[in-house]
Amino acid sequence: MIFAAFTALVFGLFALQAIQPPLAPAQTFAECQAWLCLPGGFPPSECTPAEHAVNRRLDRLLPALPSWSSCAARWGWDMANLSHTEPRTESCPSGTLSGGQCRDTDPQGCTYSGTPQETVTITVAVDGSTSFSPNHRHRRITRPAGALILDPGQD
């Protein structure tokens, strides 16, 4: 009884493996671009074709990304080293940045402070270079600036 169940399980696993579709290699450059655009969250315009290619692959029940080796072989990215950075900067739409706060003084000498705007710039690099096509540099505001309010102790 146990042997029969084991045999059926093994046969079932082999049958599933036989009907599993093979990994689909990259057919278009946009499919390979997805490897470059994905770390930056598919920034608008330059990564739109890659995002559409990923969606087409998913609609066809294929893996979202083609194998890296198929992209490397087809587009010459053999030993490419992908990396991305996300430096964050703070800025003030009005006033000056001081001590992590936006500060401003009106003509009467009253001081105001508020939260600075935080912006992240996502840059995807291949072998340390961002000069590939398209260049994936995307800026987005992660925290809007807070309104400047009168500092305590001011009239």
Side-chain angles (χ1 to χ4, degrees), residues 96-107:
T96 57
L97 184 62
S98 173
Q101 290 284 311
C102 291
R103 300 195 184 281
D104 200 5
T105 304
D106 68 11

Side-chain angles (χ1 to χ4, degrees), residues 14-131:
F14 280 121
L16 283 175
Q17 190 175 17
I19 62 172
Q20 177 185 1
L23 289 177
Q27 299 299 316
T28 65
F29 184 69
E31 290 177 338
C32 291
Q33 269 183 316
W35 280 100
L36 306 175
C37 292
L38 187 63
F42 294 102
S45 71
E46 62 261 346
C47 286
T48 301
E51 188 173 13
H52 289 287
V54 166
N55 290 334
R56 272 193 311 277
R57 287 178 66 88
L58 291 173
D59 288 344
R60 295 178 186 151
L61 301 177
L62 297 172
L65 296 173
S67 67
W68 176 255
S69 59
S70 71
C71 291
R74 188 158 187 177
W75 308 108
W77 295 348
D78 276 350
M79 300 302 288
N81 179 16
L82 292 178
S83 62
H84 81 286
T85 57
E86 296 185 23
R88 297 174 186 277
T89 57
E90 291 185 333
S91 62
C92 298
S94 63
T96 57
L97 184 62
S98 173
Q101 290 284 311
C102 291
R103 300 195 184 281
D104 200 5
T105 304
D106 68 11
Q108 289 78 25
C110 295
T111 58
Y112 295 84
S113 62
T115 308
Q117 172 178 300
E118 182 180 60
T119 304
V120 62
T121 303
I122 300 169
T123 304
V124 178
V126 178
D127 290 333
S129 171
T130 58
S131 61

Side-chain angles (χ1 to χ4, degrees), residues 129-152:
S129 171
T130 58
S131 61
F132 61 91
S133 177
N135 184 342
H136 297 288
R137 189 165 294 190
H138 176 63
R139 294 186 67 202
R140 74 169 185 255
I141 296 172
T142 58
R143 180 182 67 217
L148 293 179
I149 57 171
L150 187 62
D151 284 345

